[in-house]
Amino acid sequence: YMESICKNHFLQLLYRKIDGATLLSRNERNLNCVVTFQTHSILQRFMLRFDMLQLDCNDHLYVYDGAHAVGTHKADLTCKDTKQSVGALFTKTNFLTFKYVTDNWGTETNGFKMVITSVKDSKLNCADFRCKVPDFCIHQDLMCDGVSHCADGSDEAVGSLCPGPDRYINTIFGIDLTWVILIGVSSLIVCGCIIGITICVYVRNARNTPNQLNSSIQLNQMIESNGSSKHLQGTLPRETTTIPASGNLHHPAGPLGN
């Protein structure tokens, strides 16, 4: 907005290098503001046009083809001028200066919307976007930004270069809605697979737990049984058998008995 760009600070005295800009004025009062823009290359110049122009008769917008608001102005725009009557203004230098003077009275409808574009002759090694009418080049960053920087609007052509007018509706955080849906479905499938694998592992472990418990119980019983047997073997007396010597104990062998 002009109210912010015309604040009295040191940046107001600096040349602003731009590829393109849109300036808005909305019933600013008591302004006496001078702003200068410069292209990035001396091979470029500025094109100036208006999307809306409705000034009060006591307000003036002076346009200068140069780095200072001195000498003969290129245009003096006031209430008699409209965007149709002004059309497009081109500078011969790579500087554009305008002086905006307003009084203390106005209505909410007073103001303008100015589109400034740095352009280059297409014959001078045009490596950026080339407008069709007139035949000049603009920076590629100005394409598909919602502002027509070419006089014929070719930098905002629908279909061939830019998405349709609903491009902001069919996007989420700058990502096409189709990709958002695909990413969402893929994420759900991956999450479902992870949950399914987790459930299968849990069920398998749950089935193996009783078998392991039974095996542990049986093993403990076997250990206890073996321990009891060893205890009994250690405490019970062993029976001994004495093998008699040769002969009969009641009738010993010898010369007295037969």
Side-chain angles (χ1 to χ4, degrees), residues 6 21 34 47 52 78 115-116 133-134 157 166 171 186 202 206 235 256:
C6 289
V34 177
M47 180 185 74
M52 188 271 287
T78 184
V115 179
I116 305 172
V133 179
D166 58 346
T171 58
S186 301
Y202 175 79
T235 56
L256 296 179

Side-chain angles (χ1 to χ4, degrees), residues 2-22:
M2 291 300 301
E3 185 177 1
S4 61
I5 202 173
C6 289
K7 288 183 178 179
N8 188 18
H9 51 71
F10 73 97
L11 291 177
Q12 183 181 353
L13 304 177
L14 299 179
Y15 300 151
R16 296 172 172 85
K17 289 187 176 183
I18 60 170
D19 291 313
T22 301

Side-chain angles (χ1 to χ4, degrees), residues 53-239:
L53 179 61
Q54 188 172 346
L55 299 178
D56 183 75
C57 290
N58 293 323
D59 299 341
H60 291 267
L61 179 62
Y62 301 97
V63 181
Y64 295 87
D65 187 355
H68 304 282
V70 295
T72 304
H73 48 70
K74 188 176 184 67
D76 176 11
L77 307 179
T78 184
C79 62
K80 62 181 178 61
D81 299 295
T82 63
K83 66 176 185 178
Q84 291 82 6
S85 63
V86 174
L89 301 176
F90 290 88
T91 64
K92 295 181 179 180
T93 67
N94 65 321
F95 287 93
L96 170 65
T97 301
F98 64 87
K99 182 178 181 180
Y100 190 35
V101 181
T102 64
D103 61 5
N104 60 356
W105 187 89
T107 63
E108 292 299 327
T109 59
N110 293 141
F112 60 81
K113 181 179 180 181
M114 179 194 305
V115 179
I116 305 172
T117 307
S118 175
V119 301
K120 183 173 66 173
D121 193 333
S122 60
K123 299 178 182 179
L124 300 175
N125 190 19
C126 180
D128 294 321
F129 179 76
R130 183 171 179 173
C131 297
K132 296 179 180 179
V133 179
D135 189 10
F136 55 71
C137 299
I138 64 173
H139 197 277
Q140 59 185 0
D141 289 344
L142 301 179
M143 296 169 51
C144 305
D145 62 349
V147 179
S148 179
H149 293 277
C150 295
D152 60 349
S154 56
D155 59 315
E156 301 296 320
V158 177
S160 60
L161 296 174
C162 309
D166 58 346
R167 59 185 180 271
Y168 300 109
I169 300 176
N170 294 331
T171 58
I172 298 178
F173 299 110
I175 304 175
D176 189 82
L177 187 59
T178 303
W179 285 106
V180 174
I181 294 174
L182 290 176
I183 293 172
V185 172
S186 301
S187 301
L188 291 176
I189 293 174
V190 172
C191 292
C193 292
I194 294 174
I195 294 173
I197 293 173
T198 304
I199 293 174
C200 291
V201 172
Y202 175 79
V203 171
R204 183 176 180 181
N205 292 336
R207 290 178 179 177
N208 292 334
T209 300
N211 296 331
Q212 294 176 355
L213 182 60
N214 292 334
S215 299
S216 299
I217 294 174
Q218 293 176 359
L219 181 61
N220 291 333
Q221 290 176 350
M222 291 177 62
I223 293 173
E224 291 177 357
S225 176
N226 292 335
S228 299
S229 300
K230 290 180 180 180
H231 178 71
L232 291 175
Q233 291 177 2
T235 56
L236 291 177
R238 296 181 61 183
E239 294 183 358

